[in-house]
Amino acid sequence: MFMSAVLAFGAAVLMSVAWYSARGAADEAYDRLLLGAAFQIADAITIQDGRAEIELPVSAFELLELSERDRIFYRVLDPAGNTLTGYDDLSDPGSATGPANETVTNGSYRDATVRVARVARTFDDPQLSGDAVVIVAQTGGARSALARDLTLRSLFLVAVMGIIAIGGMIFAVRRALAP
């Protein structure tokens, strides 16, 4: 009975570790995609006649569209803080955390929980200088699905190891108590 309790406690600990590890791996993978898309968009900003202009790269959104379940929101701000393109009401997370070249934070937008990437690109053009800001947000459906899949795979391995451990324990106890 004591051995079963120890095994159950160990399995519970392993399940918790599996969930947190899977969640961390999913966040890291999708955060990299978000930042990659934001950097691609930032690289597309140019200065023409003293004004910031952008032609959005399709490849930036193709990266994020790999997740069919999620919605994507974006906003590009020129160095003066005016919206060049995107959703005007998507807030700049950098305004709350102070200036930073790249950040990824949790947020909410239009009643959805989102992960928000922010990238700043500095311009030192004689006609226009300052930081242009790219904000890209994505809902977390695919991120959660990946974490769930990774956790279930880990739990399957824990279950198999638990069955092997219980079988070995039963065999060892019978063998030790045999006449």
Side-chain angles (χ1 to χ4, degrees):
M1 187 67 161
F2 177 73
M3 291 299 286
S4 298
V6 169
L7 286 175
F9 176 75
V13 168
L14 286 175
M15 284 184 226
S16 297
V17 169
W19 168 250
Y20 286 111
S21 296
R23 189 68 197 185
D27 281 344
E28 185 176 332
Y30 279 96
D31 286 352
R32 286 183 182 178
L33 285 175
L34 267 179
L35 280 171
F39 278 119
Q40 284 184 359
I41 294 169
D43 286 342
I45 301 171
T46 59
I47 304 295
Q48 297 289 332
D49 300 323
R51 291 183 36 207
E53 294 183 357
I54 186 166
E55 186 171 325
L56 289 173
V58 175
S59 60
F61 295 104
E62 286 175 348
L63 275 176
L64 297 173
E65 286 178 353
L66 295 174
S67 164
E68 298 172 358
R69 304 175 187 186
D70 290 330
R71 292 178 291 158
I72 303 162
F73 311 101
Y74 69 95
R75 183 177 181 194
V76 180
L77 302 167
D78 68 9
N82 301 315
T83 301
L84 291 174
T85 184
Y87 297 85
D88 282 329
D89 58 339
L90 182 60
S91 63
D92 180 0
S95 60
T97 61
N101 284 343
E102 66 180 72
T103 59
V104 180
T105 59
N106 293 318
S108 63
Y109 181 67
R110 296 191 178 180
D111 297 326
T113 301
V114 293
R115 192 81 169 152
V116 183
R118 177 191 192 271
V119 171
R121 180 176 174 202
T122 303
F123 287 96
D124 288 325
D125 190 277
Q127 298 175 341
L128 183 67
S129 64
D131 287 343
V133 175
V134 176
I135 304 158
V136 181
Q138 183 179 32
T139 56
R143 186 181 298 252
S144 295
L146 177 61
R148 185 178 52 250
D149 289 347
L150 291 173
T151 301
L152 289 176
R153 289 177 187 174
S154 297
L155 293 181
F156 174 74
L157 293 175
V158 168
V160 168
M161 288 305 297
I163 291 169
I164 291 171
I166 290 171
M169 181 181 66
I170 290 171
F171 176 75
V173 168
R174 285 187 179 173
R175 181 111 169 144
L177 296 178

